Amino acid sequence: MEKVYIGVDVGGMSIKAGAVNLNGEILMKDKVVTDGKNVDVFLKDIKELLVKVISWCKENNYDVQGIGFGVPGMVDNKKGLINKMANIGGRDIQLKEYLKDLNLPIYISNDANVAALGEQKFGVAKGMQNVVLLTLGTGIGGGLILNGKLFEGNEGKGAELGHVCLILNGRSCGCGRKGCLESYASASALLRMTREYMEKYKDSMMWEYCNNDINNVSGLTSFECAKKGDEAANKLIDEYVMYLGEGMLDFANIFRPEAFVIGGGISNQGEYLTNKLKAYLEKQHYGYEGSPASEVLIAKLKNDAGIIGAASLLMD
Amino acid sequence: MEKVYIGVDVGGMSIKAGAVNLNGEILMKDKVVTDGKNVDVFLKDIKELLVKVISWCKENNYDVQGIGFGVPGMVDNKKGLINKMANIGGRDIQLKEYLKDLNLPIYISNDANVAALGEQKFGVAKGMQNVVLLTLGTGIGGGLILNGKLFEGNEGKGAELGHVCLILNGRSCGCGRKGCLESYASASALLRMTREYMEKYKDSMMWEYCNNDINNVSGLTSFECAKKGDEAANKLIDEYVMYLGEGMLDFANIFRPEAFVIGGGISNQGEYLTNKLKAYLEKQHYGYEGSPASEVLIAKLKNDAGIIGAASLLMD
């Protein structure tokens, strides 16, 4: 019987689960839309989904070894809790305890940690020893592979890479601090900057791109207009790259990683983004003259990152 | 025969070496004053010192297992090089190659890394899994124990914790970046701040403490006058604690360490300093509400940290 691991990608609006083999292949997957409001429904939904996946594995002669979770929120990996997560009420949700009658090893981690592990086991950073993953979305998620292993910090509450201070007493951040990297280099920050630049540069191509309605601004607005040569958009992207680049220099100085892996919506910009980031890091000597260079890569596992990464948590 | 490890504490002005047993006890130590100018003399001094220590070990029936180095500069731990270090000219000093006829395993690390390892193996952070060490001196040295082991990053060039950006486009730092933590929270930064505060607050007790000569400012000036109730000095210390505290919040968010260990000259302030730092971190929820608390401890090994820590590098 082939060994498989179940990975669960918990989102605020849907929960996806899949059976993953030791090659990182998803053998089957399923999902459930959760109303995202009620803890009891949330837990019941997860259990039903898992029972379905486990049954499929049994019917198809796969030997389930354990269940890993990637959760968009704060977890306690020792106690198997979700302390809190977006879109779901409740505190300290006893997920591991709730699932104990499944009689399988269970491990709960943060979604960005899980993405980093997936990329290092089966994705773009395969086999690398030191990897820093940044997911650029509503916020900035961070995941760390250090000395070849996932690093989570005490209780699994580390790797909050979006919450390093870039500008002392800068913008208020959702975490309670001020001036966090997330406030300047997340996708949300890019949208804010786009609107600010548009207000300032009334003749920018970005207005046309948005049909002259600032409410149509998206993560593409600045990037697509910069590619077409719009001056304001290029200035904006340079500023954004500087913010993100300075955060990456912090992590370069701390970790000297073989690679940075960029995920999240903004990573769709691919080499256009990574080339700019690489140029910035090179110009700054990766934080220190004489420092080893780091690759800047785009995450590869995309929508399957959550399932594959979560399943990887319990592999050896 | 009892196993011993030789630890070498390399400084710009002197080199200390000692034989350390598996309990972290220094059985003998010796040192050599080096003129600190010439690479050839530097290497010859080190070898002669090591031959003396090794001879002593043999005469006293100790079995030397290896030699570890803590170097105040940039090293390449894979190649066994000192890329560059303070007070010694030359680049890429082939230390390991030069010592190969000693026929012993050799490992070269950065001095702050070595101090962190010493404190975790035999000092104030004994047995802890995740520890962040900061030495507050001319610069800020950083050392990381992660998942119970020394983390050095690629080539041993990581853990440069003084070089995270605290204030974007802030003060120019020796590393080439601007606004690094080191520029605001090192002992040198404290001296600069002390002089600035004295110029601004002409009635501060700090003037009397310095015999009305600003050239007499030391690392004690602000702390001692703050303890005596001087308003300007207290304001200064609060500002200093804020800078250092914000850097520690960055590391709290990244590592969730069990403890911060503070070393270097400023650590002589002991609990007066750690209590203020703890209060700051608590007020800021250790970076994130619901985060596990970190201890704030003073390094214990003091002048022996270099020898004991360096010797620890090769103890499994």
Side-chain angles (χ1 to χ4, degrees):
Chain A
M1 270 167 88
E2 191 183 1
K3 286 180 182 176
V4 294
Y5 294 79
I6 296 176
V8 186
D9 179 2
V10 179
M13 303 312 283
S14 77
I15 302 159
K16 295 183 279 184
V20 181
N21 69 12
L22 285 166
N23 299 320
E25 292 156 345
I26 298 178
L27 304 171
M28 74 82 77
K29 61 182 171 182
D30 202 345
K31 75 170 179 175
V32 57
V33 174
T34 179
D35 70 352
K37 294 275 152 51
N38 180 307
V39 175
D40 292 333
V41 176
F42 171 74
L43 286 171
K44 200 167 138 283
D45 281 349
I46 287 182
K47 195 185 269 185
E48 279 176 13
L49 181 62
L50 284 170
V51 168
K52 269 166 78 176
V53 178
I54 292 167
S55 300
W56 182 90
C57 290
K58 281 185 184 158
E59 284 159 23
N60 291 275
N61 266 324
Y62 290 110
D63 187 13
V64 179
Q65 300 289 304
I67 308 169
F69 288 84
V71 177
M74 187 185 268
V75 305
D76 184 328
N77 62 7
K78 284 186 195 159
K79 293 187 184 152
L81 299 182
I82 301 174
N83 297 113
K84 56 185 173 188
M85 62 173 277
N87 294 346
I88 298 281
R91 285 285 182 277
D92 299 338
I93 303 169
Q94 305 269 352
L95 182 57
K96 187 173 175 178
E97 170 71 17
Y98 183 79
L99 297 174
K100 70 176 174 191
D101 50 357
L102 297 178
N103 282 315
L104 285 166
I106 284 170
Y107 195 89
I108 300 169
S109 187
N110 168 278
D111 56 354
N113 291 358
V114 152
L117 185 61
E119 293 293 342
Q120 189 253 359
K121 281 210 180 270
F122 302 111
V124 73
K126 199 168 175 175
M128 291 186 187
Q129 289 299 296
N130 297 311
V131 179
V132 174
L133 174 131
L134 297 167
T135 56
L136 309 173
T138 314
I140 291 187
L144 294 171
I145 304 295
L146 303 179
N147 289 337
K149 292 192 171 165
L150 180 66
F151 176 81
E152 301 186 285
N154 288 342
E155 298 183 8
K157 290 188 172 71
E160 287 291 349
L161 305 183
H163 301 285
V164 294
C165 177
L166 190 64
I167 302 181
L168 190 74
N169 291 318
R171 288 186 169 272
S172 288
C173 182
C175 74
R177 293 182 76 189
K178 284 184 175 178
C180 288
L181 178 62
E182 174 166 302
S183 301
Y184 299 92
S186 62
S188 315
L190 180 68
L191 293 188
R192 175 183 49 72
M193 283 169 63
T194 306
R195 288 188 289 262
E196 285 169 3
Y197 267 76
M198 285 170 68
E199 293 294 358
K200 197 171 164 191
Y201 298 94
K202 293 290 187 184
D203 58 348
S204 162
M205 195 191 288
M206 293 189 283
W207 281 103
E208 200 191 316
Y209 190 87
C210 294
N211 288 323
N212 287 305
D213 184 351
I214 206 159
N215 295 314
N216 292 332
V217 162
S218 77
L220 293 175
T221 310
S222 54
F223 277 106
E224 293 310 316
C225 294
K227 287 173 197 167
K228 286 175 187 151
D230 183 59
E231 205 175 319
N234 272 292
K235 204 172 154 185
L236 189 171
I237 294 298
D238 285 350
E239 187 180 336
Y240 178 77
V241 164
M242 185 264 291
Y243 292 137
L244 183 53
E246 287 293 327
M248 290 165 75
L249 289 174
D250 285 358
F251 307 133
N253 280 335
I254 297 174
F255 300 112
R256 299 281 171 241
E258 282 141 282
F260 288 97
V261 177
I262 310 292
I266 288 180
S267 72
N268 292 329
Q269 293 299 325
E271 287 193 351
Y272 182 79
L273 176 65
T274 56
N275 285 341
K276 282 180 184 289
L277 288 169
K278 262 188 270 192
Y280 190 86
L281 297 178
E282 268 164 31
K283 198 178 123 208
Q284 304 291 330
H285 308 291
Y286 296 91
Y288 227 107
E289 203 154 355
S291 298
S294 303
E295 295 278 334
V296 183
L297 306 169
I298 295 292
K300 187 176 156 188
L301 302 181
K302 308 290 178 194
N303 290 333
D304 289 334
I307 291 176
I308 296 173
S312 307
L313 286 165
L314 285 156
M315 293 182 188
D316 50 74
Chain B
M1 270 168 86
E2 190 183 1
K3 287 180 182 174
V4 294
Y5 294 79
I6 296 176
V8 186
D9 179 3
V10 179
M13 303 312 283
S14 77
I15 301 160
K16 295 183 280 184
V20 180
N21 68 13
L22 285 166
N23 299 320
E25 292 157 344
I26 298 179
L27 304 169
M28 74 82 77
K29 62 182 171 182
D30 202 345
K31 76 171 178 174
V32 57
V33 174
T34 179
D35 71 351
K37 294 274 151 51
N38 180 305
V39 174
D40 293 334
V41 175
F42 170 74
L43 286 171
K44 200 167 138 285
D45 281 350
I46 286 182
K47 196 185 268 186
E48 280 177 14
L49 180 62
L50 284 171
V51 167
K52 270 166 78 174
V53 178
I54 293 168
S55 301
W56 182 89
C57 289
K58 281 185 186 159
E59 284 158 22
N60 291 274
N61 266 324
Y62 290 110
D63 187 13
V64 179
Q65 300 289 305
I67 308 169
F69 288 85
V71 176
M74 186 186 270
V75 304
D76 184 327
N77 63 7
K78 284 186 196 159
K79 294 186 182 151
L81 300 180
I82 300 174
N83 297 111
K84 55 186 174 188
M85 60 172 279
N87 293 346
I88 299 281
R91 285 286 182 277
D92 299 339
I93 303 168
Q94 303 270 350
L95 182 58
K96 187 174 176 179
E97 171 70 18
Y98 183 80
L99 298 174
K100 70 176 173 190
D101 51 356
L102 297 179
N103 282 317
L104 284 167
I106 284 171
Y107 194 90
I108 300 170
S109 187
N110 167 278
D111 56 353
N113 291 358
V114 151
L117 185 62
E119 294 293 341
Q120 189 253 359
K121 278 207 180 278
F122 302 112
V124 73
K126 199 167 175 175
M128 290 186 187
Q129 290 299 296
N130 296 311
V131 178
V132 174
L133 174 130
L134 297 167
T135 57
L136 308 173
T138 313
I140 291 186
L144 293 171
I145 304 295
L146 304 179
N147 289 338
K149 291 192 171 163
L150 181 65
F151 175 82
E152 301 187 284
N154 288 344
E155 298 182 8
K157 291 188 171 69
E160 287 291 349
L161 304 183
H163 302 285
V164 294
C165 177
L166 190 64
I167 300 181
L168 190 74
N169 291 319
R171 289 184 169 273
S172 289
C173 181
C175 74
R177 293 182 75 190
K178 285 185 174 177
C180 288
L181 178 62
E182 175 166 304
S183 300
Y184 299 92
S186 62
S188 314
L190 179 68
L191 293 188
R192 174 184 49 73
M193 283 169 63
T194 306
R195 287 188 289 263
E196 286 169 4
Y197 267 77
M198 284 169 69
E199 294 294 359
K200 196 170 164 190
Y201 299 95
K202 293 291 189 184
D203 59 346
S204 162
M205 196 191 284
M206 293 189 282
W207 282 103
E208 198 191 318
Y209 190 87
C210 294
N211 289 321
N212 287 306
D213 184 350
I214 206 160
N215 296 313
N216 292 332
V217 162
S218 77
L220 294 175
T221 309
S222 54
F223 278 107
E224 293 309 315
C225 293
K227 287 173 196 165
K228 285 173 186 152
D230 182 58
E231 205 175 319
N234 272 293
K235 204 172 154 183
L236 189 170
I237 294 297
D238 285 348
E239 187 180 337
Y240 178 78
V241 164
M242 185 264 291
Y243 292 137
L244 183 54
E246 287 293 326
M248 290 166 75
L249 289 174
D250 285 357
F251 307 133
N253 280 336
I254 297 173
F255 300 112
R256 299 280 171 241
E258 281 142 279
F260 289 97
V261 176
I262 309 292
I266 289 180
S267 71
N268 292 328
Q269 293 300 325
E271 288 193 351
Y272 182 77
L273 176 64
T274 56
N275 285 340
K276 281 180 186 290
L277 288 169
K278 261 188 271 192
Y280 190 84
L281 297 178
E282 268 164 33
K283 197 178 124 207
Q284 305 290 329
H285 306 293
Y286 295 90
Y288 227 108
E289 202 153 357
S291 297
S294 302
E295 295 277 335
V296 183
L297 306 168
I298 295 292
K300 187 177 155 187
L301 302 181
K302 306 290 179 198
N303 290 334
D304 288 333
I307 291 176
I308 296 173
S312 307
L313 285 166
L314 286 156
M315 296 180 188
D316 4 279

